[in-house]
Amino acid sequence: MTHIRRFREALLDPRKAQEKRLLDIVRLNESTIFGKKFGFSSIKNINDYQKQVPAANYEDLEPYINKQMNGEYGQLSSEKPILYATTSGTTGNPKFIPITPTHLKDYTHAFHIHNWGLIRDHVDTVCLPGAQYLIFNSNDQEGVVPDGTPYGAVSGLLRRRQAPLVQRYIALPSFISRIKDVEQKYYSILRLALSKRIVTVASCNPSTLLLMADQLQENAADLIKDIFDGTMKENMIPDAEIGTELRRHLTQDKDAARRFSRAMESSGGILLPSMVWPDMKIITVWKGGPMPFYLDRLPEKYGIDNFRDFGYMASEGRGTIPLNDEGSGGVAALTSHFFEYVPEEEMNSDNKTFLTLDQLETGKRYYIFFTTAAGLYRYNINDLMEVVGFEQNTPILKFVQKGAGVSSITGEKLTEEQVTTALSFATRQLQLNNVGHFVLS
């Protein structure tokens, strides 16, 4: 309960908690090249930090990151990175976001709080005998940078670093994330998970869950046969070592196969996730930004309309922690990283106002800036957030959109949020249930 107690106490005085988090990061990294350049050793409070350290984009920190990736350590962080999380850049070139041991602990700390709340509110479901959790994550081992440090997705690293006690409840082995072919990946996921007692699903993007439902329907007959026989369709088995690992996890379950066959017969040839996983009562997904368009279609596939927001997170860090199933907002992850916020209307100004959590107002929108133990300092992640309430004295924020998600060909300033809201409304009003994905051009 140490994670929960520390977080709960911090909610009462966010300024104090954030200053402590900032100074812990500054002290950890004051001997770095960056720390010496900007006088970390003389920083005593938030005001000092804002005066001495400039706001930064990836391009500002990239020279330091490149040196670290080539073995010149101590540039941004005192700890050697254990992973470079890859994310798309504005120029099309990938960004390499350093992940250090302390940063990973900070990230995991926020997940502990989120998971505790989920278990607290849904204990009768998540603690059923034989319960398994279907969790989607990406590959953290896409390759290595020049010094040999791996690069990939931070979600994969978080998955592999789970405690053994938690691993027992995760339905999928971690190697599934290494399957490149999309059809093989989803077939493998379904082949391994269908005969398990799945009680909850966690996926950042709800479109992933819609795709899985489509793949279930498309491959139902083959999947049922494979489960009955204890086999797997040959063209769906990945090559090389992943295929070998996958074969070791195949089991036979004739009862489950018969149950699925009966379900298909009684529903006119349709097989939905709700039919194969009747104990599933809660789904964790992103609910903010453009996601409602996809969320609206999940109940018909999964048989439930109870969703908990996954929380605002990115390769760079964790921004919010949802504490209940309501809405798409989450409490600021104030014990994980240090945050600053620029009012939406000032983002293009040369004289921005940088606010801290204690200065935010309900109903206002702000761009968020991260400072992390891994060496991101006053880092502009280009995401727009909105304050939708407070928990104790700490803001609850929801993700609105990427800052670049605006089209203004003739000055109309059409936002991504407006497009998805309009499309969701139109598909409901016109009963266009077959619209699953769209491109606006």
Side-chain angles (χ1 to χ4, degrees):
M1 295 296 288
T2 303
H3 292 283
I4 313 304
R5 187 179 303 113
R6 176 155 61 99
F7 177 72
R8 283 291 182 186
E9 289 175 354
L11 298 181
L12 298 171
D13 191 344
R15 176 83 180 189
K16 178 181 177 181
Q18 279 282 271
E19 191 159 77
K20 180 183 186 308
R21 184 80 279 265
L22 172 63
L23 293 179
D24 285 346
I25 293 170
V26 167
R27 295 286 85 82
L28 176 67
N29 294 328
E30 65 183 9
S31 62
T32 62
I33 301 299
F34 189 95
K36 291 176 180 177
K37 179 177 180 179
F38 293 103
F40 276 20
S41 62
S42 65
I43 293 174
K44 307 300 180 186
N45 52 49
I46 292 172
N47 291 336
D48 290 346
Y49 181 67
Q50 292 179 327
K51 289 176 183 176
Q52 294 177 213
V53 181
N57 295 312
Y58 181 77
E59 291 71 24
D60 299 312
L61 301 180
E62 189 173 19
Y64 299 94
I65 293 172
N66 286 340
K67 287 182 179 180
Q68 286 185 165
M69 291 195 299
N70 281 279
E72 297 181 45
Y73 306 123
Q75 297 291 320
L76 294 170
S77 61
S78 60
E79 298 175 318
K80 179 183 180 295
I82 55 176
L83 174 77
Y84 286 93
T86 47
T87 182
S88 59
T90 55
T91 62
N93 296 319
K95 299 177 183 178
F96 290 85
I97 305 299
I99 307 295
T100 61
T102 296
H103 177 68
L104 190 67
K105 289 179 182 177
D106 294 339
Y107 214 125
T108 305
H109 164 68
F111 268 104
H112 284 318
I113 298 162
H114 181 272
N115 294 343
W116 169 80
L118 186 69
I119 293 170
R120 175 200 61 195
D121 295 341
H122 300 279
V123 64
D124 291 341
T125 295
V126 299
C127 293
L128 284 171
Q132 291 278 282
Y133 312 149
L134 183 54
I135 300 173
F136 286 79
N137 60 268
S138 299
N139 185 15
D140 64 323
Q141 299 177 359
E142 296 287 354
V144 295
V145 299
D147 78 335
T149 303
Y151 66 81
V154 69
S155 63
L157 182 63
L158 289 165
R159 161 67 180 85
R160 289 196 304 106
R161 295 285 182 106
Q162 292 286 351
L165 177 63
V166 177
Q167 299 270 16
R168 290 167 41 194
Y169 294 94
I170 299 176
L172 300 176
S174 61
F175 68 77
I176 291 293
S177 67
R178 305 205 312 269
I179 301 175
K180 301 293 186 183
D181 182 90
V182 173
E183 289 188 354
Q184 289 183 343
K185 175 177 284 190
Y186 278 90
Y187 196 96
S188 299
I189 288 169
L190 289 165
R191 175 63 183 87
L192 297 184
L194 277 179
S195 57
K196 295 184 178 181
R197 192 177 193 180
I198 303 298
V199 299
T200 185
V201 176
S203 170
C204 287
N205 199 317
S207 66
T208 299
L209 303 185
L210 292 177
L211 180 56
M212 181 171 69
D214 291 343
Q215 290 294 306
L216 172 59
Q217 178 59 38
E218 183 177 330
N219 296 290
D222 289 332
L223 286 163
I224 290 172
K225 181 181 184 302
D226 280 340
I227 292 170
F228 188 89
D229 295 337
T231 58
M232 184 157 167
K233 192 176 178 182
E234 279 300 319
N235 67 332
M236 289 298 176
I237 298 179
D239 294 333
E241 62 183 76
I242 298 178
T244 301
E245 289 186 74
L246 182 58
R247 283 188 172 90
R248 287 199 290 264
H249 285 78
L250 299 179
T251 58
Q252 186 180 49
D253 193 336
K254 294 185 177 182
D255 290 339
R258 293 189 183 103
R259 187 169 67 251
F260 301 155
S261 292
R262 291 194 297 269
M264 280 190 72
E265 291 172 6
S266 63
S267 63
I270 296 173
L271 191 63
L272 299 173
S274 59
M275 300 175 184
V276 299
W277 296 313
D279 294 314
M280 185 188 300
K281 304 299 181 186
I282 180 69
I283 293 175
T284 302
V285 290
W286 280 335
K287 297 165 67 175
M291 300 307 163
F293 174 76
Y294 300 103
L295 280 172
D296 288 347
R297 297 185 57 221
L298 286 182
E300 67 180 273
K301 305 287 187 181
Y302 288 81
I304 61 174
D305 57 7
N306 196 22
F307 309 116
R308 176 162 297 204
D309 190 75
F310 215 139
Y312 166 66
M313 67 187 82
S315 300
E316 291 83 355
R318 176 101 188 207
T320 67
I321 306 171
L323 298 181
N324 54 54
D325 299 341
E326 303 303 318
S328 59
V331 181
L334 74 173
T335 47
S336 289
H337 317 298
F338 175 72
F339 303 108
E340 295 171 270
Y341 302 85
V342 172
E344 179 182 17
E345 63 275 12
E346 293 186 19
M347 193 57 190
N348 294 322
S349 169
D350 293 332
N351 189 28
K352 299 178 180 64
T353 303
F354 286 85
L355 305 174
T356 48
L357 280 170
D358 55 299
Q359 298 172 307
L360 305 189
E361 300 178 42
T362 301
K364 297 290 184 66
R365 291 182 171 186
Y366 307 90
Y367 284 88
I368 184 171
F369 288 66
F370 277 73
T371 291
T372 74
L376 300 184
Y377 303 108
R378 309 194 72 193
Y379 182 81
N380 175 20
I381 197 172
N382 194 34
D383 285 343
L384 183 63
M385 311 292 290
E386 180 179 336
V387 179
V388 295
F390 280 78
E391 177 75 16
Q392 302 289 356
N393 297 316
T394 301
I396 299 171
L397 300 111
K398 72 172 185 178
F399 172 76
V400 177
Q401 65 182 40
K402 294 297 293 183
V406 179
S407 172
S408 190
I409 298 172
T410 60
E412 71 277 12
K413 294 185 179 178
L414 181 66
T415 69
E416 180 181 303
E417 179 189 23
Q418 291 169 330
V419 170
T420 54
T421 299
L423 188 62
S424 294
F425 177 78
T427 52
R428 286 195 300 269
Q429 290 295 104
L430 300 175
Q431 298 182 350
L432 301 175
N433 298 324
N434 60 336
V435 179
H437 306 277
F438 71 94
V439 176
L440 181 67
S441 61

